[in-house]
Amino acid sequence: MAKNKLFWFLLAFSFGFSLSPLSAAVPVKTEVFGTASDGTTLHWDVYTPTGVGPWPAVLVIHGGNFYGGGPSSSPALTNCAQDLAAAGYIAFAIEYRLAPPGSLAGQVSAGRFPDQTNDVKLAVRAARRDSRSNQKVGAVGGSAGGYHVAFVATTGTAGDDRIDVGVSLSGAYDLSDFSANANLAGFTANVLNYVGVTVTNTTALRAASPAWLTSASTAPLFLVNTVGDPMPYVQLPDMMTHFDAAGSAKYQAETLSGSAHSFDNWSPVKAQALTFLANGFAGISPPLPLPPPNSGNASQKLLNVSSRAKIGTGDNALVGGFILTGTTDKRIVLRAIGPSLGQFGVPGVLADPLLQLFDSAGTLIESNDNRLVIPGLPNPLLPTGTAEAFLTGVFPPGGYTAVLSGVGSGTGNALFELYDLDAANSSVSNISTRGDIAASSDAVIGGFIVGGANPTGVIVRGLGPSLGAFGVSQPLPDPYLELHDSNGTLLASNDNWRSTQEQQIIATRLQPPNDKESAIVATLPPGNYTALMRDARFSTGVGLFEVYNLDLP
């Protein structure tokens, strides 16, 4: 027996073979998969699993701003293709015609929309008919490739040129959305170059947009972005919102921390993506991504927090901060309500609210001026006024800041709201609102909902004098707080925090920095609550209203 072992060892050594398992072997070869309409020959790199086929096929679609890149354009893309082959899929890393200034060898056409999507559809057909595949075809793409994945999931014919399941990493979905974002300039230039139109041609841009082509028959999609993604983050909630409008639950979305892009996001989500692909091929729909708001399934949660204040200009805009704790993403909705407050008797409303969302580094993630009008959107949280603002997204744990201001330096009363749409997943641990109390009769009015079946401990704070250390030029001199239940009954009030509950407040380690500031500690059963913050002497200035959940680990 020892002699046989020695023989095989010497044989392996002499030929440079490894004695490690062969399951990771992924032979690669380049093949022609078709000819484009202008005669361009199109190739793919083939990553073949070990064992006996046929296998499900997965297209791997490169990015490159629609005008560059190729089937082996990055090590991360190659790693993705190798991972797919190791998982039992035959992976085809495809090329497609490129928009100016790029081109493939022999390319005659401009390579603009719809040339590229036609080439991807050609690849879907080729993979489906390839003898090595079992006629099931999925796709994984990054950046422009993520766009192509979404496009061949929302268009075409099932069983032919529409994929069965897809994963989009940093994809573009609504080519007509030029909302303010830190990475807007590059996105705008590349999109307009790809479609070949000007920014005012909304019809043509939406005709090329997967979001506007989504229907109940769209193939299941796993959508992945990072908070600081070079692809404007708003593209992710754009696609989610259109999925919701189509009444389709066949998607999942995840936002990663950091600023990675395209296939660099593959490794962190590989396990989830492979599971999503397997379930998609098996016809298993992903879990419902949009649970009913305020379902009350989780205990000790802040499910909704809102603040109403007079919106001024500059430093007197309403600034709302919130913290998401836990280890997983959370879907939230942010709203800025102005015109529709008039029907509730609120005078001097803000005519056109603008809502902007920033991460903890101060980078603009997402913004909205007028909420998107999508016929049939079954979302009870959509503002009734089209001039009002609506943001949604899936966000990783961390601190975020929302700024509510008026378009064109407009002023007036407005309402800022945060809704937790996934009460069983992570937690909203803190919400704060900085507002301007510009007149003696003004106040910041904060509302919050405690969910679940168990009472929740909270501390409500009203800050003013200590804000001066953070550059606020006219802080509220002497904040005063009141806490009311849903019937309007006064539960507690406080002027200076040491005057009542001093030891309880100190025990939370959240005591206000200045003795003139206010705080209330309470254990509240599930229900709706309202807090009012004004100056104890009816002075004016900028104050900060905060609610902390004390029962989170």
Side-chain angles (χ1 to χ4, degrees), residues 1 13 42 87 98 123 126 173 178 196 240 323 340 365 370 374 537:
M1 186 69 177
F13 181 81
L42 301 173
L98 302 174
Y173 310 115
F178 302 110
M240 294 163 57
I323 298 172
S340 59
I365 302 173
N370 302 323
I374 307 175
R537 304 292 179 264

Side-chain angles (χ1 to χ4, degrees), residues 318-323 334 355-366 391 398-404 416 432:
L318 188 148
V319 181
F322 57 95
I323 298 172
L334 302 177
L355 191 56
Q356 297 174 299
L357 181 63
F358 299 83
D359 67 11
S360 58
T363 301
L364 179 63
I365 302 173
E366 191 178 353
L391 295 179
Y400 300 88
T401 301
V403 177
L404 195 171
F416 165 71
S432 63

Side-chain angles (χ1 to χ4, degrees), residues 307-310 318-319 432-447 460-465 467 475-484 494-495 516-520 530-536 538-539 541-546:
S307 297
R308 196 191 88 192
K310 180 74 173 289
L318 188 148
V319 181
S432 63
T433 306
R434 195 191 81 185
D436 179 31
I437 299 175
S440 60
S441 58
D442 288 344
V444 172
I445 301 173
V460 182
R461 308 199 314 175
L463 306 186
L467 300 180
L476 196 66
D478 190 2
Y480 168 82
L481 276 177
E482 292 181 358
L483 179 62
H484 299 257
N494 179 254
D495 180 5
K516 284 186 172 293
E517 296 172 327
S518 303
I520 297 171
T530 301
L532 180 148
M533 182 184 71
R534 59 172 173 81
D535 189 81
F538 297 99
S539 294
V542 175
L544 183 69
F545 162 76
E546 297 180 301

Side-chain angles (χ1 to χ4, degrees), residues 153-417:
T154 55
T155 62
T157 303
D160 182 32
D161 58 353
R162 177 180 295 191
I163 59 173
D164 302 307
V165 59
V167 177
S168 178
L169 309 168
S170 305
Y173 310 115
D174 185 354
L175 307 190
S176 70
D177 187 355
F178 302 110
S179 299
N181 185 276
N183 304 304
L184 180 61
F187 171 79
T188 303
N190 292 329
V191 163
L192 297 181
N193 179 60
Y194 169 61
V195 185
V197 298
T198 64
V199 71
T200 58
N201 196 338
T202 302
T203 300
L205 291 166
R206 289 183 176 177
S209 297
W212 288 94
L213 302 170
T214 300
S215 68
S217 62
T218 295
L221 285 174
F222 181 34
L223 313 171
V224 181
N225 280 70
T226 54
V227 173
D229 207 307
M231 181 65 68
Y233 179 79
V234 70
Q235 292 292 309
L236 176 61
D238 277 349
M239 193 66 177
M240 294 163 57
T241 302
H242 282 268
F243 258 119
D244 296 342
S248 174
K250 295 184 296 186
Y251 76 96
Q252 286 183 351
E254 176 157 346
T255 304
L256 306 173
S257 299
S259 57
H261 176 62
S262 190
F263 281 95
D264 288 335
N265 291 328
W266 168 257
S267 181
V269 302
K270 179 176 75 172
Q272 293 166 270
L274 292 175
T275 298
F276 191 89
L277 289 168
N279 288 341
F281 283 126
I284 302 172
S285 293
L288 186 69
L290 182 61
N294 306 334
S295 60
N297 292 329
S299 63
Q300 300 179 321
K301 298 282 187 177
L302 296 178
L303 299 178
N304 161 243
V305 185
S306 62
S307 297
R308 196 191 88 192
K310 180 74 173 289
I311 309 301
T313 59
D315 288 342
N316 296 327
L318 188 148
V319 181
F322 57 95
I323 298 172
L324 303 181
T325 60
T327 58
T328 53
D329 289 358
K330 172 173 286 293
R331 183 166 184 181
I332 62 170
V333 160
L334 302 177
R335 308 199 315 170
I337 308 298
S340 59
L341 293 179
Q343 63 185 303
F344 301 103
V346 177
V349 298
L350 185 65
D352 193 358
L354 170 66
L355 191 56
Q356 297 174 299
L357 181 63
F358 299 83
D359 67 11
S360 58
T363 301
L364 179 63
I365 302 173
E366 191 178 353
S367 71
N368 182 249
D369 175 6
N370 302 323
R371 61 101 166 164
L372 193 63
V373 178
I374 307 175
L377 182 62
N379 189 340
L381 297 180
L382 200 68
T384 57
T386 57
E388 293 169 330
F390 174 90
L391 295 179
T392 188
V394 176
F395 299 101
Y400 300 88
T401 301
V403 177
L404 195 171
S405 59
V407 174
S409 300
T411 62
N413 285 304
L415 181 70
F416 165 71
E417 297 180 297

